[in-house]
Amino acid sequence: MDAMDTAHAQGYTFLEGLILERLGELKLSEQRAAASVFLREALNRYQRCKASGKEIQLLERHGGLLRRDEESPSLPSEPVLDAVPTVSLDV
């Protein structure tokens, strides 16, 4: 996945989304679970770079798959600890 690594290193979030979308579409016929993960990550990248047109297009084409698997895990795009909210125990 040299293209993906290069896109990530250069900060091309939209291109990362496009690569993930294409990978997801390639996996649709043989590995729906893997396709769902790739498509969900593509959606995440499109949301991050505010590519609302691509986000809408992806949901129109694969929304059923994305919604049906809404609770299935996806690959973390950020370090897990960064996503956990800080809770103060001071009373």
Side-chain angles (χ1 to χ4, degrees):
M1 299 224 310
D2 291 337
M4 185 69 178
D5 293 338
T6 302
H8 182 74
Q10 297 296 318
Y12 293 132
T13 307
F14 180 84
L15 185 55
E16 284 182 85
L18 190 60
I19 292 166
L20 288 162
E21 181 181 357
R22 296 299 180 240
L23 285 169
E25 289 175 344
L26 284 171
K27 295 288 184 185
L28 273 174
S29 63
E30 56 192 42
Q31 298 174 326
R32 288 187 69 79
S36 175
V37 171
F38 284 122
L39 292 172
R40 187 173 319 288
E41 289 303 314
L43 184 63
N44 176 273
R45 296 314 190 280
Y46 292 146
Q47 289 169 338
R48 261 204 265 160
C49 71
K50 298 181 180 14
S52 56
K54 283 300 287 179
E55 184 179 348
I56 291 167
Q57 185 183 54
L58 187 62
L59 287 169
E60 285 175 350
R61 265 196 275 147
H62 304 293
L65 178 64
L66 294 171
R67 279 190 280 284
R68 185 178 65 222
D69 295 337
E70 228 166 31
E71 296 185 17
S72 65
S74 63
L75 301 172
S77 56
E78 301 295 329
V80 174
L81 292 178
D82 290 349
V84 176
T86 304
V87 177
S88 175
L89 296 177
D90 295 336
V91 186

